[in-house]
Amino acid sequence: RTAAAPAEEAGAAADVAPASARDAPFSSLDGASVYDGVVVRWPRRGPCPGSGQALDALLLAEAGRRVHVEFLWDSSTAWVARDRVRLMEEAERGGVPEGCAAGEAVEALDPRDPASGWHAARVVEVRRGAQGVGPLALWFWVRYEGSGLHQWVGLEQLRRAHEGGTHGECAALLEMVRALRAQVNAQHP
């Protein structure tokens, strides 16, 4: 995941995930690599063993039956049991906003340094996380043109190249995204 594959550089479109990917067990990390988008079933206290909220994260490392992840909503990290982690499914082409599909030129905000402004980037792939609905659940693996580095960004951190505003149908959608993120952060301080 540290360098784009040749097909990614050529702007190859993401395939639609088969139905079986949506039902993948949480221990399904076959073919996973560092920085892949994953969903973590976070343990919750309660009467149901194995229950928990599904949270979006990226894979940092694997060590036997444990996996080190970084949560995308707050950048915190944790070691979790491997059987609580699965790869994010590929986003269905029809569910990706226009201008944000794999291979598209975009501008992206660095979620860790939004004050640095918008940067020219290209969408490499789009994954569907477990948090949010519709386009709010999408995560975009982008490659920054200037540095060549890659990063996962949410919809609120993307806009079409040279658009000048934030992405999409916009102000109302952006407010919904921010409200949802604030709600998730409030539930998981």
Side-chain angles (χ1 to χ4, degrees):
R1 267 249 177 289
T2 56
E8 294 172 338
E9 290 295 307
D15 294 327
V16 174
S20 60
R22 289 187 291 273
D23 302 321
F26 270 86
S27 61
S28 178
L29 286 177
D30 294 338
S33 58
V34 173
Y35 303 124
D36 271 345
V38 295
V39 174
V40 177
R41 189 178 64 225
W42 192 250
R44 244 194 268 193
R45 293 185 180 142
C48 303
S51 69
Q53 183 171 1
L55 302 172
D56 301 334
L58 63 94
L59 179 66
L60 297 177
E62 291 185 75
R65 295 185 307 192
R66 303 202 33 92
V67 178
H68 194 207
V69 297
E70 178 180 324
F71 296 101
L72 292 171
W73 48 275
D74 73 350
S75 300
S76 64
T77 63
W79 283 93
V80 296
R82 181 183 174 91
D83 65 355
R84 293 191 170 273
V85 180
R86 68 169 170 80
L87 286 171
M88 281 185 192
E89 66 184 67
E90 291 183 38
E92 294 179 9
R93 188 180 282 280
V96 177
E98 184 179 332
C100 293
E104 297 279 351
V106 295
E107 291 179 340
L109 277 178
D110 179 348
R112 293 175 184 251
D113 186 17
S116 67
W118 294 95
H119 306 281
R122 185 162 301 277
V123 177
V124 176
E125 69 177 292
V126 184
R127 295 283 174 160
R128 177 165 302 285
Q131 296 174 254
V133 294
L136 303 180
L138 298 179
W139 290 98
F140 302 83
W141 181 245
V142 298
R143 180 181 186 270
Y144 293 103
E145 300 289 335
S147 65
L149 297 175
H150 293 78
Q151 188 173 37
W152 286 106
V153 298
L155 184 62
E156 70 271 22
Q157 296 144 342
L158 275 188
R159 69 181 182 189
R160 293 182 189 140
H162 312 294
E163 187 175 79
T166 53
H167 177 270
E169 298 70 63
C170 227
L173 180 59
L174 182 57
E175 286 308 311
M176 287 181 4
V177 170
R178 288 182 178 148
L180 178 64
R181 298 268 187 246
Q183 182 182 19
V184 169
N185 288 337
Q187 291 173 357
H188 305 283

